[in-house]
Amino acid sequence: MQIQINEEKKELKQHGDYTFPVHLSGEMLSRYEGGSFFWHWHTEVELTLILKGQIEYRVNERTYHLKAGEGLFCNSNAMHAGKRIDNQDCQYFSVTFHPRFLYGFESSILQTKYVDPILNTSSFSSAALLPSENWGAKVVPLLEEIFGLYQTPSPDQELRLHILLSEIWRLLYGHFTSCSFKEPAFSDSIGRLKDILSFIQASYAKSITLAEIADYVHLSKSECCRFFKRNMNMTLFDYLLYYRIQQSLPLLREGLCTISKAAESCGFSNACYYGKLFKRYMNCTPRQYQSRFRS
C-alpha cells in the first residue's frame, strides 16, 4: 500500500469522524511499497509509538532515528515521511486526532490558551518522546496505555482516550512553554517544497525538465537542486524516479497494462531503464512483482 494524497500532499484518509475525531492504528513499514511512506501532511495531530525495530522519521526540516520504546509528536499541518533503517522492518502504533477533540468549543480558553499556541508555532513542528527525558518518560507510558486500549477496547474507551490524550497534551504544553523558539529558515520554504512536490505529482507521467520545475518555484536550476537536496536529503532527480516507480505499482498489481505500457504511463520512455530502476528500488523485477499478485 501507499499513503493516498491529493495534489497539495494532504493525506486523504479520514482520521475518525466529526463525532469522535480520533484514529488508532497499528502499522508496519513493510506494508508500504518500498518500506517507506511518502511525504504528506494533515490537519490532525499525530502521536507515534515505536513497538519493534527502528524508523527514520522526517518532519519538515528535522530527522529522527527512533527505536522501540520511543515516540514522536508530529504537529498539525507538518510535512512528514518515514522509512526503514538498514532495510529492517519497523512496527509502530499511531494515534491521530483533530485538535478540537481536546478543546471542544471554538474559541474556548482551552483552545486559545493551551492548543493554538502549539499549533501555530511552526518551529515546534515535532518533538521526540524519549524515556531518557523527564517529560518524554511520562508521555511514553500514556501512549502505551492507549495502545493497550487499541488491543483490548473497553466499554468506556472514548472517555479514557480523552483523559489520556488530555494528559499527554498537558505534558506537551509544559515542555512547549519551557522552550524558546526561533522561527527556522525552513518555515519560509515549506510552501516552496510543497509546490515542487505538487508539480512532480501532477506532471510525473510526462517528460519533466529541471528548468520547468525551477521556473515553477521561481529559482535558478542550481538553487532548486540545492534547496531540494537540503530539505529532502535526496536529489530532485532521485525523488522523481522513485515517485514514478511507486505510481507504476498499482498498474502492475492490478494487471491493467503491460510492463512497457506501465513504464510509459509513468514517464519512462525506455522500458529497459524502467526495469533497471525498478529492481534498484523494489529489489525485484517488474515481472516478478507482477507475478506475486497473479498467483
Side-chain angles (χ1 to χ4, degrees):
M1 67 176 184
Q2 192 48 262
I3 288 176
Q4 299 301 306
I5 53 181
N6 64 15
E7 292 184 358
E8 296 178 342
K9 296 297 174 185
K10 182 179 180 181
E11 187 176 10
L12 298 177
K13 183 175 73 175
Q14 293 294 315
H15 301 109
D17 56 34
Y18 185 80
T19 62
F20 194 74
V22 181
H23 181 69
L24 309 180
S25 59
E27 306 284 356
M28 296 183 72
L29 283 180
S30 58
R31 293 176 182 169
Y32 293 97
E33 299 288 3
S36 63
F37 55 85
F38 284 152
W39 284 92
H40 66 285
W41 61 276
H42 40 70
T43 55
E44 294 82 6
V45 171
E46 187 164 3
L47 299 169
T48 302
L49 175 66
I50 311 304
L51 302 173
K52 292 181 182 178
Q54 301 181 73
I55 185 174
E56 180 181 303
Y57 209 121
R58 298 201 68 199
V59 185
N60 286 356
E61 80 285 7
R62 296 184 176 91
T63 301
Y64 301 91
H65 287 186
L66 302 172
K67 60 181 184 295
E70 299 176 341
L72 186 78
F73 157 75
C74 180
N75 208 346
S76 171
N77 297 323
M79 292 277 288
H80 52 288
K83 67 178 183 178
R84 289 185 287 198
I85 296 176
D86 298 328
N87 208 33
Q88 299 298 308
D89 201 5
C90 177
Q91 182 179 353
Y92 59 98
F93 174 63
S94 176
V95 183
T96 315
F97 62 96
H98 195 283
R100 72 168 179 272
F101 183 67
L102 298 172
Y103 61 72
F105 294 102
E106 292 292 329
S107 302
S108 67
I109 194 169
L110 292 177
Q111 179 185 6
T112 59
K113 183 177 180 179
Y114 298 104
V115 177
D116 281 355
I118 292 178
L119 301 184
N120 296 333
T121 302
S122 59
S123 52
F124 193 60
S125 61
S126 57
L129 308 173
L130 306 176
S132 59
E133 296 180 359
N134 183 44
W135 79 282
K138 296 176 181 177
V139 173
V140 169
L142 297 173
L143 273 177
E144 291 173 339
E145 190 171 345
I146 294 176
F147 179 60
L149 286 175
Y150 168 73
Q151 292 181 304
T152 310
S154 65
D156 58 349
Q157 177 159 333
E158 295 84 0
L159 181 59
R160 291 176 65 184
L161 280 173
H162 191 274
I163 292 170
L164 289 167
L165 287 175
S166 295
E167 177 60 13
I168 289 174
W169 198 267
R170 186 187 71 83
L171 293 167
L172 182 69
Y173 179 78
H175 172 68
F176 171 78
T177 54
S178 69
C179 299
S180 58
F181 298 102
K182 181 180 179 181
E183 202 66 20
F186 187 87
S187 64
D188 298 328
S189 306
I190 189 168
R192 178 170 282 162
L193 181 60
K194 286 182 177 179
D195 286 343
I196 293 176
L197 297 176
S198 297
F199 183 89
I200 290 174
Q201 181 179 356
S203 310
Y204 74 90
K206 60 185 181 182
S207 177
I208 307 175
T209 66
L210 173 59
E212 289 175 322
I213 299 174
D215 287 345
Y216 186 75
V217 293
H218 309 295
L219 291 174
S220 68
K221 291 189 291 186
S222 58
E223 179 55 30
C224 184
C225 290
R226 285 193 294 268
F227 168 81
F228 194 88
K229 180 70 181 292
R230 183 169 64 248
N231 290 303
M232 293 287 286
N233 202 30
M234 65 191 306
T235 69
L236 183 54
F237 187 60
D238 282 341
Y239 179 84
L240 173 60
L241 294 177
Y242 178 73
Y243 188 82
R244 282 173 166 167
I245 292 292
Q246 292 295 307
Q247 299 313 301
S248 74
L249 298 181
L251 302 178
L252 298 177
R253 194 163 54 238
E254 298 166 19
L256 299 177
C257 57
T258 64
I259 292 173
S260 296
K261 188 63 178 177
E264 182 184 346
S265 298
C266 295
F268 292 99
S269 58
N270 186 304
C272 292
Y273 181 54
Y274 166 73
K276 182 180 178 180
L277 288 173
F278 193 99
K279 189 165 186 178
R280 180 202 301 176
Y281 289 118
M282 301 301 297
N283 296 315
C284 65
T285 67
R287 195 168 302 282
Q288 289 169 336
Y289 180 85
Q290 201 172 45
S291 66
R292 296 177 191 171
F293 299 94
R294 285 181 175 173
S295 61

